[in-house]
Amino acid sequence: ETGVTQTPRHLVMGMTNKKSLKCEQHLGHNAMYWYKQSAKKPLELMFVYSLEERVENNSVPSRFSPECPNSSHLFLHLHTLQPEDSALYLCASSQVSGVGEKLFFGSGTQLSVL
Amino acid sequence: AQTVTQSQPEMSVQEAETVTLSCTYDTSESNYYLFWYKQPPSRQMILVIRQEAYKQQNATENRFSVNFQKAAKSFSLKISDSQLGDTAMYFCAFLNSGGSNYKLTFGKGTLLTVNP
């Protein structure tokens, strides 16, 4: 069992649909992250939760709504997306202690918006 | 704001040979961390190697080593004895010291192909 699990692996949705991405970490970490990975662009940090509180929201459109019900689970709720939102969405976790800890990533959800 | 530049979008190497991936960064900070992450076709990013800026000694992890030139703000990754399983996207990343991991800045990546 991998440390960070993301579902679904692939998702195709219309612009009017509502869907959710799920992430679960089994590592006992205290922080979780959503990243967007688009072709030929650096990874873009979307949201960060530390101790279940949102500590970072990088000017992400409101059509993306995160939820962190506990330290092991993270969701990204999607509604009325645009075609340019098609990308790989990566979840990560870490144990934050201020000394440059590494991130543990899931395998991502490949999202296609039609 | 920090920036990370990977000037080689794609590279290829023959199996068992050595390859070096380039990374430069821009920062006014004196203490920070640098990382190389690998993303194979499975899409799961994995940490390859980590360097603390205040340490002069270059980090090594088995076949992977870095050439850290702090004055030049350069952080290249050397892969020795390349293996087919090294085929992946490689991302260089920067993190300010004292900040939480959410301040991690990534480069655009280098796609490395190891040929048999």
Short mmCIF file of all heavy atoms in Angstrom, two decimals, chain A residues 9-10 33 37 40 42-43 45 48 56 88 94 96 99-103 105-108 110, chain B residues 33 35 37 39 41-45 47 50 91 95 98-104 106-108:
data_model
loop_
_atom_site.label_atom_id
_atom_site.label_comp_id
_atom_site.label_asym_id
_atom_site.label_seq_id
_atom_site.Cartn_x
_atom_site.Cartn_y
_atom_site.Cartn_z
N ARG A 9 -8.08 7.69 -10.62
CA ARG A 9 -6.83 7.86 -11.34
C ARG A 9 -7.06 8.72 -12.59
O ARG A 9 -6.19 9.49 -12.99
CB ARG A 9 -6.26 6.50 -11.73
CG ARG A 9 -4.86 6.58 -12.31
CD ARG A 9 -4.21 5.21 -12.35
NE ARG A 9 -2.93 5.25 -13.03
CZ ARG A 9 -1.80 5.65 -12.48
NH1 ARG A 9 -1.78 6.05 -11.22
NH2 ARG A 9 -0.66 5.65 -13.16
N HIS A 10 -8.21 8.55 -13.20
CA HIS A 10 -8.59 9.34 -14.37
C HIS A 10 -10.01 9.86 -14.17
O HIS A 10 -10.84 9.17 -13.56
CB HIS A 10 -8.55 8.50 -15.66
CG HIS A 10 -7.23 7.89 -15.95
ND1 HIS A 10 -6.23 8.56 -16.62
CD2 HIS A 10 -6.71 6.67 -15.64
CE1 HIS A 10 -5.17 7.77 -16.73
NE2 HIS A 10 -5.43 6.62 -16.14
N TYR A 33 -1.36 18.66 0.75
CA TYR A 33 -1.24 19.66 -0.30
C TYR A 33 -1.98 19.21 -1.56
O TYR A 33 -2.02 18.02 -1.87
CB TYR A 33 0.23 19.85 -0.71
CG TYR A 33 1.20 20.06 0.43
CD1 TYR A 33 1.59 18.99 1.23
CD2 TYR A 33 1.73 21.32 0.70
CE1 TYR A 33 2.49 19.16 2.28
CE2 TYR A 33 2.63 21.50 1.74
CZ TYR A 33 3.00 20.42 2.53
OH TYR A 33 3.88 20.59 3.56
N GLN A 37 -0.52 20.07 -12.07
CA GLN A 37 0.60 19.88 -12.99
C GLN A 37 0.09 19.94 -14.42
O GLN A 37 -0.63 19.05 -14.88
CB GLN A 37 1.30 18.54 -12.74
CG GLN A 37 2.54 18.34 -13.59
CD GLN A 37 3.27 17.05 -13.29
OE1 GLN A 37 2.73 16.13 -12.66
NE2 GLN A 37 4.51 16.95 -13.72
N LYS A 40 4.50 21.31 -19.52
CA LYS A 40 5.52 22.33 -19.76
C LYS A 40 5.41 23.53 -18.82
O LYS A 40 5.82 24.64 -19.16
CB LYS A 40 5.48 22.79 -21.22
CG LYS A 40 5.76 21.64 -22.19
CD LYS A 40 5.79 22.10 -23.62
CE LYS A 40 6.07 20.91 -24.54
NZ LYS A 40 6.12 21.27 -25.96
N PRO A 42 5.76 24.64 -14.44
CA PRO A 42 6.12 24.16 -13.11
C PRO A 42 4.89 23.73 -12.34
O PRO A 42 3.78 24.22 -12.60
CB PRO A 42 6.78 25.37 -12.45
CG PRO A 42 7.13 26.28 -13.57
CD PRO A 42 6.12 26.05 -14.63
N LEU A 43 5.09 22.84 -11.39
CA LEU A 43 3.98 22.47 -10.52
C LEU A 43 3.44 23.71 -9.81
O LEU A 43 4.20 24.54 -9.32
CB LEU A 43 4.43 21.47 -9.46
CG LEU A 43 4.28 19.99 -9.78
CD1 LEU A 43 5.29 19.58 -10.82
CD2 LEU A 43 4.44 19.15 -8.52
N LEU A 45 1.27 25.13 -6.75
CA LEU A 45 0.63 24.83 -5.47
C LEU A 45 -0.75 25.47 -5.44
O LEU A 45 -0.91 26.66 -5.73
CB LEU A 45 1.48 25.38 -4.33
CG LEU A 45 0.93 25.17 -2.93
CD1 LEU A 45 0.85 23.69 -2.58
CD2 LEU A 45 1.78 25.91 -1.92
N VAL A 48 -2.93 24.26 0.80
CA VAL A 48 -2.18 23.56 1.83
C VAL A 48 -3.03 23.51 3.09
O VAL A 48 -3.61 24.52 3.48
CB VAL A 48 -0.86 24.26 2.17
CG1 VAL A 48 -0.10 23.49 3.24
CG2 VAL A 48 -0.01 24.43 0.93
N GLU A 56 -2.77 27.92 3.12
CA GLU A 56 -2.33 28.51 1.87
C GLU A 56 -3.43 28.31 0.84
O GLU A 56 -4.00 27.24 0.73
CB GLU A 56 -1.05 27.83 1.38
CG GLU A 56 -0.40 28.48 0.18
CD GLU A 56 0.44 29.68 0.52
OE1 GLU A 56 0.67 29.92 1.70
OE2 GLU A 56 0.89 30.38 -0.40
N LEU A 88 -3.05 17.27 -14.54
CA LEU A 88 -2.82 16.23 -13.53
C LEU A 88 -2.86 16.90 -12.16
O LEU A 88 -2.13 17.87 -11.92
CB LEU A 88 -1.47 15.56 -13.75
CG LEU A 88 -1.10 14.45 -12.76
CD1 LEU A 88 -2.02 13.24 -12.92
CD2 LEU A 88 0.36 14.03 -12.96
N SER A 94 3.25 15.77 4.15
CA SER A 94 4.55 15.88 4.79
C SER A 94 4.36 16.05 6.29
O SER A 94 3.26 16.36 6.77
CB SER A 94 5.35 17.07 4.25
OG SER A 94 4.78 18.30 4.68
N VAL A 96 5.49 18.48 8.83
CA VAL A 96 6.12 19.79 8.85
C VAL A 96 6.79 20.05 10.19
O VAL A 96 6.16 19.96 11.24
CB VAL A 96 5.06 20.89 8.58
CG1 VAL A 96 5.70 22.26 8.70
CG2 VAL A 96 4.45 20.71 7.21
N VAL A 99 12.38 22.02 8.86
CA VAL A 99 13.76 21.72 8.49
C VAL A 99 13.85 21.09 7.11
O VAL A 99 14.69 20.23 6.85
CB VAL A 99 14.44 20.83 9.54
CG1 VAL A 99 14.65 21.58 10.84
CG2 VAL A 99 13.64 19.56 9.78
N GLY A 100 12.95 21.51 6.22
CA GLY A 100 13.06 21.07 4.83
C GLY A 100 12.70 19.62 4.60
O GLY A 100 13.41 18.92 3.89
N GLU A 101 11.60 19.22 5.20
CA GLU A 101 11.18 17.82 5.04
C GLU A 101 10.71 17.56 3.61
O GLU A 101 10.22 18.44 2.94
CB GLU A 101 10.04 17.47 6.00
CG GLU A 101 10.29 17.80 7.44
CD GLU A 101 10.02 19.25 7.75
OE1 GLU A 101 9.62 20.01 6.85
OE2 GLU A 101 10.21 19.63 8.91
N LYS A 102 10.83 16.32 3.19
CA LYS A 102 10.40 15.99 1.84
C LYS A 102 8.90 15.79 1.79
O LYS A 102 8.25 15.48 2.78
CB LYS A 102 11.13 14.74 1.36
CG LYS A 102 10.72 13.45 2.05
CD LYS A 102 11.52 12.29 1.45
CE LYS A 102 11.09 10.95 2.03
NZ LYS A 102 11.88 9.83 1.45
N LEU A 103 8.38 15.97 0.58
CA LEU A 103 6.98 15.70 0.31
C LEU A 103 6.82 14.27 -0.19
O LEU A 103 7.68 13.75 -0.90
CB LEU A 103 6.45 16.65 -0.78
CG LEU A 103 6.39 18.13 -0.44
CD1 LEU A 103 5.96 18.92 -1.67
CD2 LEU A 103 5.43 18.39 0.70
N PHE A 105 4.22 12.13 -2.46
CA PHE A 105 3.17 12.38 -3.44
C PHE A 105 2.35 11.13 -3.73
O PHE A 105 2.84 10.01 -3.65
CB PHE A 105 3.79 12.85 -4.77
CG PHE A 105 4.29 14.26 -4.75
CD1 PHE A 105 5.57 14.55 -4.30
CD2 PHE A 105 3.49 15.30 -5.20
CE1 PHE A 105 6.04 15.85 -4.30
CE2 PHE A 105 3.96 16.61 -5.20
CZ PHE A 105 5.23 16.89 -4.75
N GLY A 106 1.11 11.37 -4.14
CA GLY A 106 0.28 10.32 -4.73
C GLY A 106 0.55 10.25 -6.23
O GLY A 106 1.37 10.99 -6.77
N SER A 107 -0.17 9.37 -6.89
CA SER A 107 0.02 9.18 -8.33
C SER A 107 -0.84 10.10 -9.17
O SER A 107 -0.79 10.05 -10.40
CB SER A 107 -0.28 7.72 -8.72
OG SER A 107 0.64 6.85 -8.08
N GLY A 108 -1.65 10.91 -8.52
CA GLY A 108 -2.38 11.94 -9.23
C GLY A 108 -3.69 11.48 -9.85
O GLY A 108 -3.95 10.28 -10.03
N GLN A 110 -5.66 12.34 -13.34
CA GLN A 110 -5.59 13.00 -14.65
C GLN A 110 -7.00 13.46 -15.01
O GLN A 110 -7.88 12.65 -15.25
CB GLN A 110 -5.07 12.05 -15.71
CG GLN A 110 -4.86 12.71 -17.07
CD GLN A 110 -3.76 13.76 -17.04
OE1 GLN A 110 -2.64 13.49 -16.63
NE2 GLN A 110 -4.08 14.97 -17.48
N TYR B 33 16.93 24.99 1.17
CA TYR B 33 17.08 23.58 0.81
C TYR B 33 16.82 23.44 -0.69
O TYR B 33 15.99 24.16 -1.27
CB TYR B 33 16.07 22.71 1.56
CG TYR B 33 16.19 22.81 3.07
CD1 TYR B 33 15.47 23.76 3.78
CD2 TYR B 33 17.02 21.95 3.77
CE1 TYR B 33 15.57 23.86 5.16
CE2 TYR B 33 17.13 22.04 5.16
CZ TYR B 33 16.40 23.00 5.84
OH TYR B 33 16.50 23.09 7.20
N PHE B 35 16.13 20.36 -3.78
CA PHE B 35 15.69 18.98 -3.97
C PHE B 35 15.70 18.63 -5.46
O PHE B 35 15.51 19.49 -6.33
CB PHE B 35 14.24 18.81 -3.47
CG PHE B 35 13.98 19.23 -2.06
CD1 PHE B 35 13.73 20.57 -1.77
CD2 PHE B 35 13.96 18.31 -1.03
CE1 PHE B 35 13.48 20.98 -0.46
CE2 PHE B 35 13.69 18.71 0.27
CZ PHE B 35 13.46 20.04 0.55
N TYR B 37 13.38 15.86 -7.51
CA TYR B 37 12.31 14.87 -7.49
C TYR B 37 12.25 14.19 -8.84
O TYR B 37 12.50 14.80 -9.89
CB TYR B 37 10.95 15.53 -7.20
CG TYR B 37 10.69 15.83 -5.75
CD1 TYR B 37 11.09 17.04 -5.18
CD2 TYR B 37 10.02 14.91 -4.93
CE1 TYR B 37 10.85 17.32 -3.84
CE2 TYR B 37 9.77 15.19 -3.60
CZ TYR B 37 10.19 16.38 -3.07
OH TYR B 37 9.94 16.66 -1.74
N GLN B 39 9.75 11.87 -11.43
CA GLN B 39 8.39 11.45 -11.72
C GLN B 39 8.41 10.45 -12.87
O GLN B 39 8.47 10.83 -14.04
CB GLN B 39 7.50 12.65 -12.07
CG GLN B 39 6.03 12.29 -12.22
CD GLN B 39 5.16 13.51 -12.53
OE1 GLN B 39 5.57 14.40 -13.27
NE2 GLN B 39 3.97 13.54 -11.96
N PRO B 41 6.81 7.25 -15.32
CA PRO B 41 5.52 7.14 -16.01
C PRO B 41 4.35 6.80 -15.08
O PRO B 41 3.20 7.08 -15.39
CB PRO B 41 5.76 6.04 -17.03
CG PRO B 41 7.23 6.13 -17.32
CD PRO B 41 7.87 6.50 -16.01
N SER B 42 4.63 6.22 -13.94
CA SER B 42 3.56 5.93 -12.97
C SER B 42 2.98 7.21 -12.36
O SER B 42 1.95 7.17 -11.69
CB SER B 42 4.10 5.05 -11.83
OG SER B 42 5.07 5.76 -11.07
N ARG B 43 3.65 8.33 -12.59
CA ARG B 43 3.22 9.68 -12.19
C ARG B 43 3.50 10.03 -10.73
O ARG B 43 3.33 11.19 -10.34
CB ARG B 43 1.73 9.92 -12.47
CG ARG B 43 1.35 9.70 -13.90
CD ARG B 43 -0.09 10.03 -14.22
NE ARG B 43 -1.07 9.79 -13.17
CZ ARG B 43 -2.35 9.55 -13.44
NH1 ARG B 43 -2.78 9.50 -14.68
NH2 ARG B 43 -3.20 9.35 -12.45
N GLN B 44 3.91 9.07 -9.93
CA GLN B 44 4.15 9.37 -8.52
C GLN B 44 5.53 9.98 -8.34
O GLN B 44 6.56 9.33 -8.59
CB GLN B 44 4.02 8.11 -7.67
CG GLN B 44 4.14 8.39 -6.18
CD GLN B 44 3.87 7.17 -5.34
OE1 GLN B 44 4.11 6.05 -5.78
NE2 GLN B 44 3.36 7.36 -4.13
N MET B 45 5.57 11.22 -7.88
CA MET B 45 6.85 11.91 -7.69
C MET B 45 7.55 11.37 -6.44
O MET B 45 6.92 11.20 -5.39
CB MET B 45 6.62 13.41 -7.57
CG MET B 45 6.16 14.03 -8.88
SD MET B 45 6.02 15.80 -8.80
CE MET B 45 7.70 16.28 -8.52
N LEU B 47 11.23 11.69 -4.07
CA LEU B 47 12.44 12.45 -3.79
C LEU B 47 13.67 11.63 -4.16
O LEU B 47 13.81 10.48 -3.77
CB LEU B 47 12.51 12.82 -2.31
CG LEU B 47 13.75 13.61 -1.90
CD1 LEU B 47 13.70 15.01 -2.51
CD2 LEU B 47 13.87 13.69 -0.39
N ARG B 50 18.43 15.49 -1.62
CA ARG B 50 18.17 16.74 -0.90
C ARG B 50 19.49 17.35 -0.46
O ARG B 50 20.38 16.64 -0.01
CB ARG B 50 17.29 16.43 0.30
CG ARG B 50 17.04 17.55 1.29
CD ARG B 50 16.14 17.00 2.39
NE ARG B 50 15.91 17.93 3.49
CZ ARG B 50 16.69 18.05 4.56
NH1 ARG B 50 17.78 17.32 4.66
NH2 ARG B 50 16.38 18.91 5.52
N PHE B 91 12.51 16.93 -11.60
CA PHE B 91 12.18 18.30 -11.20
C PHE B 91 13.14 18.77 -10.12
O PHE B 91 13.35 18.08 -9.12
CB PHE B 91 10.75 18.38 -10.66
CG PHE B 91 9.69 18.11 -11.67
CD1 PHE B 91 9.18 16.84 -11.85
CD2 PHE B 91 9.18 19.14 -12.46
CE1 PHE B 91 8.19 16.58 -12.78
CE2 PHE B 91 8.20 18.90 -13.39
CZ PHE B 91 7.71 17.61 -13.56
N LEU B 95 13.43 25.41 -1.50
CA LEU B 95 12.62 25.69 -0.31
C LEU B 95 13.42 26.60 0.62
O LEU B 95 14.55 26.29 0.99
CB LEU B 95 12.28 24.39 0.42
CG LEU B 95 11.55 24.53 1.75
CD1 LEU B 95 10.13 25.07 1.51
CD2 LEU B 95 11.48 23.20 2.48
N GLY B 98 13.31 27.62 7.24
CA GLY B 98 12.39 28.22 8.19
C GLY B 98 10.98 28.26 7.70
O GLY B 98 10.07 28.50 8.47
N GLY B 99 10.78 28.00 6.41
CA GLY B 99 9.42 27.97 5.89
C GLY B 99 8.90 26.55 5.87
O GLY B 99 9.66 25.61 5.87
N SER B 100 7.62 26.44 5.87
CA SER B 100 7.04 25.10 5.74
C SER B 100 7.14 24.65 4.29
O SER B 100 7.43 25.43 3.41
CB SER B 100 5.58 25.12 6.17
OG SER B 100 5.47 25.45 7.53
N ASN B 101 6.90 23.37 4.08
CA ASN B 101 7.07 22.82 2.74
C ASN B 101 6.20 23.49 1.71
O ASN B 101 6.44 23.33 0.52
CB ASN B 101 6.79 21.33 2.75
CG ASN B 101 7.96 20.56 3.30
OD1 ASN B 101 8.85 21.13 3.89
ND2 ASN B 101 7.96 19.26 3.10
N TYR B 102 5.14 24.21 2.09
CA TYR B 102 4.29 24.78 1.06
C TYR B 102 4.94 25.93 0.35
O TYR B 102 4.35 26.49 -0.57
CB TYR B 102 2.94 25.16 1.64
CG TYR B 102 2.94 26.10 2.82
CD1 TYR B 102 3.01 27.48 2.65
CD2 TYR B 102 2.82 25.61 4.11
CE1 TYR B 102 2.97 28.33 3.73
CE2 TYR B 102 2.78 26.47 5.20
CZ TYR B 102 2.86 27.83 5.01
OH TYR B 102 2.82 28.67 6.08
N LYS B 103 6.14 26.32 0.70
CA LYS B 103 6.84 27.34 -0.06
C LYS B 103 7.79 26.73 -1.09
O LYS B 103 8.65 27.41 -1.61
CB LYS B 103 7.62 28.23 0.90
CG LYS B 103 6.75 29.01 1.87
CD LYS B 103 5.75 29.91 1.17
CE LYS B 103 4.97 30.74 2.17
NZ LYS B 103 3.92 31.55 1.53
N LEU B 104 7.60 25.46 -1.38
CA LEU B 104 8.46 24.76 -2.34
C LEU B 104 8.20 25.29 -3.74
O LEU B 104 7.06 25.35 -4.19
CB LEU B 104 8.15 23.27 -2.27
CG LEU B 104 9.16 22.27 -2.82
CD1 LEU B 104 10.48 22.40 -2.11
CD2 LEU B 104 8.60 20.87 -2.72
N PHE B 106 9.09 24.76 -7.78
CA PHE B 106 9.57 23.75 -8.71
C PHE B 106 10.00 24.39 -10.02
O PHE B 106 9.46 25.42 -10.45
CB PHE B 106 8.47 22.74 -9.02
CG PHE B 106 8.20 21.76 -7.91
CD1 PHE B 106 7.29 22.06 -6.90
CD2 PHE B 106 8.84 20.54 -7.88
CE1 PHE B 106 7.02 21.16 -5.89
CE2 PHE B 106 8.57 19.63 -6.86
CZ PHE B 106 7.68 19.95 -5.86
N GLY B 107 10.94 23.73 -10.71
CA GLY B 107 11.24 24.06 -12.10
C GLY B 107 10.27 23.34 -13.02
O GLY B 107 9.39 22.61 -12.56
N LYS B 108 10.44 23.57 -14.34
CA LYS B 108 9.51 22.98 -15.31
C LYS B 108 9.80 21.53 -15.60
O LYS B 108 9.00 20.84 -16.22
CB LYS B 108 9.56 23.77 -16.62
CG LYS B 108 8.99 25.18 -16.53
CD LYS B 108 8.97 25.85 -17.88
CE LYS B 108 8.38 27.24 -17.79
NZ LYS B 108 8.33 27.92 -19.11
#
